[in-house]
Amino acid sequence: MRRTIIAGNWKLNKTTDEAVRFALELKQRVGSVTHCDVIVAPAFVALGEVYRAVKGTSIRVAGQNLFWEASGAYTGEISAPMLRSVGCDHVIVGHSERRQYFGESDETVNKRIKAALQHGLTPIFCVGETLEERESNRTFDVLTRQVVAGLEGIPAGRVAGIVVAYEPVWAIGTGRTATREQAQEAHAFLRALLAEQRGDHVAASCRILYGGSVKPGNVDGLMAQPDIDGALVGGASLDAASFARIVNYGPHASLAG
Ligand code: PEP
């Protein structure tokens, strides 16, 4: 049984005061859900206060990125121990915006995943193809390259605890969601790849989230797919009612408030 995760990536949004107010609203709406793990990823500066605002509820806190060294002369970076010290237990790694705008490569993603695991953070490892790659039938090649390189040198026992997020780049922030069939196809491919790379047990335990314009109106269909274990939500996670409805997907919808 893979426990569902619904994670909200707040990206470069909300000052600390705004983030805390928003976290308190989420606490009211989804702070006591038991059917899934709820994770929010505020900006670095708001992490500690958001953690304090939701402490003791079902809501967990994640960093949006991390650097691989624990400390040292790396101006502007944030390390895994620093994220742990403000209450994070998860961290997003290799988000397509990091790959696209900040020169993130498969190799640096791999270093970040290793650093996260070494310091007790669960990485949410993002992979996904661009529109051009999809249209030239390279989706599976790209996913294979990203997964193989991103997990390089990480033993099966550790990979089982990693969360993978399939986020087709063409669906992020565009309002253009992958159909449930497209998403399921990619998730099934990723699970088979994990089985081939690290064994059936790892593939069966690893949670694979879908990300890319998930909204209240499409979450139920996506979550009904057998290989979709949750969602990584950008835009819709910035609205409390929308995020609450996504958390309370499908059979849990009557609980949405
Ligand atoms: C994301 O940034 O991970 C994301 C999926 O964004 P959106 O939901 O806005 O497409």
Side-chain angles (χ1 to χ4, degrees):
M1 279 303 287
R2 296 184 295 268
R3 188 169 162 78
T4 300
I5 296 178
I6 304 292
N9 174 12
W10 297 358
K11 309 192 185 187
L12 182 62
N13 292 291
K14 301 187 189 298
T15 62
T16 299
D17 285 352
E18 290 165 348
V20 168
R21 270 200 302 279
F22 188 67
L24 291 171
E25 194 179 342
L26 286 184
K27 181 170 154 178
Q28 291 285 327
R29 291 175 182 266
V30 297
S32 49
V33 300
T34 52
H35 64 273
C36 68
D37 292 340
V38 180
I39 301 173
V40 295
F44 287 136
V45 291
L47 283 170
E49 293 208 30
V50 167
Y51 172 70
R52 280 190 286 281
V54 299
K55 197 172 169 193
T57 74
S58 307
I59 305 172
R60 316 246 180 108
V61 176
Q64 294 179 15
N65 187 24
L66 85 167
F67 189 58
W68 51 86
E69 296 293 343
S71 62
Y74 302 102
T75 303
E77 294 298 329
I78 300 284
S79 70
M82 291 173 182
L83 292 178
R84 290 298 307 264
S85 75
V86 289
C88 291
D89 43 27
H90 291 73
V91 60
I92 298 171
V93 179
H95 190 280
S96 69
E97 287 152 13
R98 302 292 321 165
R99 294 179 190 257
Q100 196 176 345
Y101 306 131
F102 302 100
E104 195 79 68
S105 66
D106 293 329
E107 290 68 32
T108 56
V109 167
N110 176 250
K111 289 181 175 197
R112 290 174 213 272
I113 292 176
K114 285 176 174 161
L117 291 171
Q118 189 187 344
H119 294 280
L121 287 165
T122 299
I124 302 174
F125 167 33
C126 302
V127 296
E129 80 288 358
T130 63
L131 186 59
E132 193 217 327
E133 288 162 344
R134 174 162 282 265
E135 287 180 341
S136 55
N137 289 323
R138 283 183 291 142
T139 297
F140 294 157
D141 292 343
V142 170
L143 295 179
T144 302
R145 191 203 75 225
Q146 291 174 334
V147 168
V148 170
L151 299 181
E152 219 264 315
I154 304 174
R158 305 308 295 270
V159 173
I162 290 174
V163 176
V164 175
Y166 170 61
E167 298 210 302
V169 179
W170 48 272
I172 295 183
T174 57
R176 183 178 167 185
T177 325
T179 63
R180 61 188 80 171
E181 291 80 14
Q182 284 172 321
Q184 167 57 25
E185 181 189 38
H187 281 233
F189 176 81
L190 286 167
R191 204 173 301 287
L193 180 61
L194 288 168
E196 178 195 299
Q197 295 283 316
R198 296 293 191 284
D200 289 345
H201 172 72
V202 172
S205 345
C206 203
R207 287 172 293 177
I208 308 178
L209 315 184
Y210 170 77
S213 298
V214 176
K215 309 275 181 230
N218 59 28
V219 67
D220 296 349
L222 289 162
M223 289 303 299
Q225 303 308 305
D227 287 295
I228 299 185
D229 306 316
L232 178 53
V233 188
S237 75
L238 298 171
D239 177 82
S242 294
F243 190 63
R245 175 59 181 80
I246 292 169
V247 168
N248 291 306
Y249 61 89
H252 313 286
S254 59
L255 304 170

